[in-house]
Amino acid sequence: MSQNNYRDKVEAHRQSIEVAGSDAQTNPGRASRRAARSGQEKKNNNKLITILGSIFVLVPVLILVYFSFFANSGDKTTQDLANSDVNVQSSNGNGSSNSGAVATDDDKDKQTKAQQIEQEKAKKAAEAQEKAEKKKAAEEKAKKERIAKKKAAKEKAAKEKAAKEAAAKAAAQKAAAEKAAAKAAAAKAAAQKAAQEKAAKEAAEKAAAEKAAKEKAAKEAAGAAPNTTTSAYRQSIQNGYLHNASAGDTVQSISIRYYGSTAKAAQIRQLNGLSSDKVQAGVKIALPMQ
């Protein structure tokens, strides 16, 4: 039921009550009719003012709550209409005052509903704000988690890279150390081999020198043998210029024996090709012919 229908019904009830009251009076006087007309005009003016005030006050509110509270508003209006009928019938012609009271109660209901709407709006706005804040907090949390994960992954990659570099460096150092050790071992082995070869060579040279010295000593002890291949040696032997050496003979002793001095010792040594002064026993020593 709309607001205009509600007010028309209230006015119809009020007029029916006034008509019933006027019918109860028989043949009213001029003063009564004048008072009745004045009261009617006053009531009409009050009705117009009430309608206009209700329009200016209630229309904006009704526009706001029309769609959300239409069903409840209809039920409430029906109940208020029933209550107003009872009040109008019990007031004995005081319909204008009751109509104003009903309008006031309706205004209060509308204001209450408007307040409820505002509260609902405020509640929804608060819920929306809370939801937005929660969403923003969740996004910030997710962003921080992403940043933390990225940082952790970066730190992990850096640690793994550092570990790989350290392992590679340690392996390179180990390889270098092993190479240096192998080189040192090879150098040491080469030095030992060279030392061994040198020692062996020195030992061989020493042995050869000792052998030569022994042979020389043996030759010197045994005495030198003449070189019988030269023509001068053969000619001297053929001419009879020879000496059969015996043990203990020397070039000097032979020169003294045949020439009276050691003056021919050098010639005897040259003619026989002797390397020492001692002469081997049993050999033929050629003598210079002059």
Side-chain angles (χ1 to χ4, degrees):
M1 182 181 291
S2 64
Q3 186 70 22
N4 292 330
N5 293 333
Y6 165 73
R7 293 189 178 280
D8 291 340
K9 189 173 183 180
V10 171
E11 182 62 23
H13 279 286
R14 185 183 61 77
Q15 290 178 1
S16 64
I17 293 170
E18 289 179 355
V19 170
S22 63
D23 290 337
Q25 295 177 1
T26 58
N27 298 321
R30 183 179 295 177
S32 298
R33 290 195 299 271
R34 186 179 296 173
R37 285 196 301 271
S38 299
Q40 184 67 29
E41 292 177 356
K42 184 176 181 181
K43 290 178 182 179
N44 291 332
N45 292 332
N46 290 333
K47 179 181 177 182
L48 181 60
I49 292 172
T50 302
I51 292 172
L52 292 175
S54 299
I55 290 172
F56 285 107
V57 172
L58 297 178
V59 167
V61 176
L62 289 174
I63 292 173
L64 293 174
V65 302
Y66 178 76
F67 291 100
S68 60
F69 295 97
F70 177 79
N72 293 331
S73 176
D75 295 338
K76 181 66 176 176
T77 304
T78 303
Q79 184 177 1
D80 290 341
L81 179 59
N83 293 331
S84 65
D85 291 339
V86 175
N87 291 330
V88 169
Q89 291 176 0
S90 62
S91 63
N92 294 323
N94 195 12
S96 177
S97 176
N98 290 332
S99 178
V102 171
T104 303
D105 292 337
D106 189 51
D107 292 340
K108 288 182 179 180
D109 291 337
K110 298 303 181 180
Q111 290 177 358
T112 301
K113 291 178 180 179
Q115 290 176 357
Q116 291 177 354
I117 292 171
E118 293 297 329
Q119 290 176 358
E120 290 292 331
K121 288 183 178 179
K123 184 178 179 181
K124 289 181 180 179
E127 291 177 353
Q129 184 176 3
E130 184 179 0
K131 186 177 180 181
E133 290 177 354
K134 288 182 179 179
K135 183 178 179 181
K136 185 177 180 181
E139 290 177 353
E140 290 179 355
K141 184 179 179 181
K143 184 178 180 181
K144 288 180 180 179
E145 289 177 353
R146 288 196 300 271
I147 293 172
K149 287 181 180 179
K150 187 181 289 186
K151 184 178 180 182
K154 188 175 181 180
E155 291 177 353
K156 184 179 180 181
K159 287 181 180 179
E160 290 178 353
K161 184 179 179 181
K164 288 181 180 179
E165 290 178 353
K169 186 177 180 180
Q173 290 177 351
K174 184 178 179 181
E178 290 177 352
K179 186 177 180 180
K183 187 176 181 180
K188 185 178 180 180
Q192 289 177 352
K193 184 177 180 181
Q196 290 175 357
E197 291 177 353
K198 183 178 180 181
K201 185 177 180 181
E202 290 177 353
E205 290 177 353
K206 184 178 180 181
E210 289 177 354
K211 183 178 180 182
K214 287 180 180 180
E215 290 177 353
K216 184 177 179 181
K219 285 181 179 180
E220 288 178 353
N227 185 5
T228 60
T229 59
T230 63
S231 59
Y233 175 83
R234 288 195 299 270
Q235 187 177 359
S236 295
I237 294 299
Q238 288 174 2
N239 292 330
Y241 292 94
L242 58 89
H243 170 72
N244 292 321
S246 58
D249 285 344
T250 62
V251 176
Q252 285 83 0
S253 65
I254 293 172
S255 177
I256 291 168
R257 181 176 180 180
Y258 289 99
Y259 301 103
S261 67
T262 59
K264 296 292 185 177
Q267 291 182 2
I268 294 171
R269 189 182 296 109
Q270 183 178 5
L271 180 63
N272 292 276
L274 298 174
S275 58
S276 64
D277 291 335
K278 192 172 182 179
V279 179
Q280 206 174 43
V283 296
K284 294 180 178 181
I285 300 301
L287 299 175
M289 289 182 292
Q290 295 179 353

